[in-house]
Amino acid sequence: MQKKVNPLSQALCRHMLRACSLCALSVLIPYTANAKSDGSPIPLLAYSIIDEFDHDISSFTQGLEIKNGLLYESAGGYGRSSLSISDFRARKPPAKHKGPAEAFLEGLTWVGDELFILTWRERVVFVVDSSIRERRRLQNPTEGWGITHLPTMGGDHLLVSDGSSTLTERAPSNWEALRAIEVTASGKPVDQLNELEFVKGRVYANVWHSDRIAVLDPQTGHVLNWLDLSALQSRFAKPAGWDAEEHVLNGIAYDVQTQHLLVTGKCWPKIFELKVEGVSSH
């Protein structure tokens, strides 16, 4: 399987972006969605922009998650991978932990007091504690792309993507594969699934090389909604070296306190806080 050509390993984000300071506004984007099996269109979710936060443009974002008010972000690139932790609401600069030079870090998620961090082709999962001390390593039989926790009756499991249309449910203790979920929209596979986030019984999945998010039922794999965020790129200036194909939307974090989503993209200068239809009650 071919994956993204990582611009970080070549000449990652060589130019600084000038921040765009724009007021928040409501966005409802017309979109010709796929049709459901009954012929009706898959609904497009409306959203409004609540706030914007500065984002490191050298960060080839792979994973985004909030825990205890802190924002955790994994960024990829051989020799450039990192884990950043920030008190984003205080708008403080993130503390950055450099990843192993030989590893291309991918998505991340918390289960209890353990942070799971995927790697792309190294087939290793790093498990660290809140002090970012390594506790153990797990072997992953596939490429690693995105990951999220998945609540079950037996406790939290993990849901993992590998760039295909299949998500794999895994046990956090030993990485045992428990179930495969084929993600479809109107009966057709949705591949290149990337970053994942569990939100109120649904899984939000970035689709690589696009600026839309699939909202799916983790039991059936059916896409129930689309969240089209292509309009966000109009809210910031782009450098001469901007790569429209590679610097796409990636990174979804759910804030349980506000019931808002944080989203960003690879080498974007902004993180956007969104109130999304059906997610936020205030």
Side-chain angles (χ1 to χ4, degrees), residues 27-185:
V27 182
L28 179 60
I29 310 167
Y31 177 67
T32 305
N34 301 93
K36 292 182 178 178
S37 56
D38 62 2
S40 61
I42 294 176
L44 177 70
L45 295 179
Y47 68 91
S48 57
I49 300 172
I50 302 302
D51 206 348
E52 300 178 5
F53 304 91
D54 290 337
H55 180 242
D56 181 0
I57 61 170
S58 71
S59 179
F60 196 68
T61 306
Q62 304 293 3
L64 207 64
E65 186 152 330
I66 297 171
K67 182 178 175 65
N68 297 329
L70 297 177
L71 181 64
Y72 292 77
E73 178 181 356
S74 52
Y78 290 111
R80 302 294 295 272
S81 289
S82 64
L83 170 66
S84 297
I85 307 170
S86 64
D87 184 353
F88 69 102
R89 295 208 178 274
R91 302 183 189 273
K92 295 181 179 179
K96 183 173 288 190
H97 301 261
K98 189 173 177 59
E102 70 280 5
F104 190 120
L105 296 186
E106 286 279 349
L108 55 70
T109 197
W110 283 94
V111 173
D113 62 351
E114 292 187 323
L115 178 61
F116 292 74
I117 308 172
L118 298 176
T119 58
W120 176 23
R121 289 177 167 169
E122 292 66 51
R123 307 206 170 193
V124 172
V125 183
F126 297 103
V127 185
V128 303
D129 62 17
S130 58
S131 299
I132 318 303
R133 289 190 295 261
E134 185 176 323
R135 284 187 173 178
R136 55 198 172 102
R137 296 187 184 189
L138 299 168
Q139 295 299 311
N140 188 15
T142 68
E143 289 185 359
W145 283 44
I147 185 172
T148 189
H149 76 287
L150 183 67
T152 73
M153 294 294 290
D156 276 356
H157 290 171
L158 296 167
L159 198 61
V160 186
S161 66
D162 61 7
S164 69
S165 59
T166 302
L167 302 179
T168 304
E169 183 178 342
R170 294 188 176 277
S173 59
N174 58 9
W175 208 247
E176 177 187 357
L178 304 173
R179 183 170 63 111
I181 305 164
E182 181 72 10
V183 177
T184 60

Side-chain angles (χ1 to χ4, degrees), residues 26 135-136 140 171 209 257-258 261 266 268 274:
S26 295
R135 284 187 173 178
R136 55 198 172 102
N140 188 15
H209 287 140
Q257 299 301 317
T258 64
L261 296 184
K266 298 175 184 295
W268 285 20
L274 306 181

